[in-house]
Amino acid sequence: MRLHRATVEVERAEERLPVGRVRRWLGGTGADRVSARLTMIALALAGSRRETVRAEWAAHLAGAPEEGFTVRPAARVRYSLGFLLAAFRFRLSDLAAPAWRLVDWVLATDNRVNTAISSVVGAQAIFIVGDGGLQALITEVWEPCGLLGGALYLLVRFLRRRRGIEIAGQRPPNDRSDA
């Protein structure tokens, strides 16, 4: 009887603590329930456009019991945390998509790229001229402008390669059809 009273008192104390609230919200202490809740949160965060991942994530959590492969409860929780991280990355990707469209538009032609690079380097030159005069720009401070222009050119080449943008009318560097 004393053991039962002590257990009841501990449960009441847990209810007052944040841990008890979390356990009530999760519906118990089992790792399976934690995993299920985390996966549900990840699916909600991923959004309705990512309905295809629902079946894939469920298959990962289930394992392959017919082949004798089951996922331990602790591993399910780790997988669910990974799903949560993936859903967050999905959402960030969706938010960044309009900005990438603008970047892709600029990278699509050499004229736009040259205008963008010239504008940035020109703004830096104007700042230097305003601070130290034209003489400072010509004699000693031209190096930052050249470094910025070169760095932006390399960034453009990297982004074009990474985003798969090819400029019409340009031959690949190894193409020697004229020679």
Side-chain angles (χ1 to χ4, degrees):
M1 188 67 153
R2 288 173 64 185
L3 180 62
H4 176 67
R5 261 192 240 140
T7 305
V8 169
E9 287 182 34
V10 168
E11 287 175 359
R12 284 184 189 156
E14 279 184 347
E15 291 298 320
R16 289 189 298 265
L17 295 173
V19 173
R21 290 187 199 133
V22 169
R23 283 184 181 165
R24 267 197 328 266
W25 179 74
L26 291 172
T29 59
D32 290 333
R33 291 178 194 239
V34 173
S35 174
R37 293 286 177 140
L38 287 173
T39 304
M40 286 180 1
I41 292 169
L43 287 169
L45 182 61
S48 60
R49 291 180 40 197
R50 305 274 201 278
E51 283 295 322
T52 57
V53 300
R54 179 182 302 271
E56 184 179 338
W57 288 354
H60 280 292
L61 290 176
E66 63 276 357
E67 297 176 13
F69 178 73
T70 57
V71 182
R72 293 186 326 242
R76 279 195 198 111
V77 172
R78 281 197 315 271
Y79 289 168
S80 297
L81 288 171
F83 298 156
L84 199 58
L85 179 63
F88 182 70
R89 292 183 70 184
F90 283 153
R91 191 57 69 161
L92 281 179
S93 174
D94 291 345
L95 290 174
W100 279 115
R101 269 185 263 154
L102 177 64
V103 170
D104 290 343
W105 179 78
V106 170
L107 294 174
T109 65
D110 284 332
N111 286 338
R112 291 185 207 133
V113 167
N114 292 339
T115 301
I117 291 175
S118 299
S119 299
V120 171
V121 173
Q124 182 186 20
I126 289 171
F127 177 75
I128 291 171
V129 166
D131 197 33
L134 185 60
Q135 180 182 2
L137 177 67
I138 294 172
T139 58
E140 56 190 61
V141 195
W142 60 269
E143 182 182 9
C145 292
L147 288 173
L148 179 64
L152 289 174
Y153 175 75
L154 291 175
L155 178 66
V156 164
R157 288 180 54 112
F158 170 76
L159 285 176
R160 279 182 175 167
R161 215 174 312 119
R162 180 79 180 205
R163 304 286 296 170
I165 298 174
E166 294 185 22
I167 305 301
Q170 284 188 348
R171 290 191 310 248
N174 295 335
D175 185 19
R176 300 187 187 264
S177 59
D178 292 344

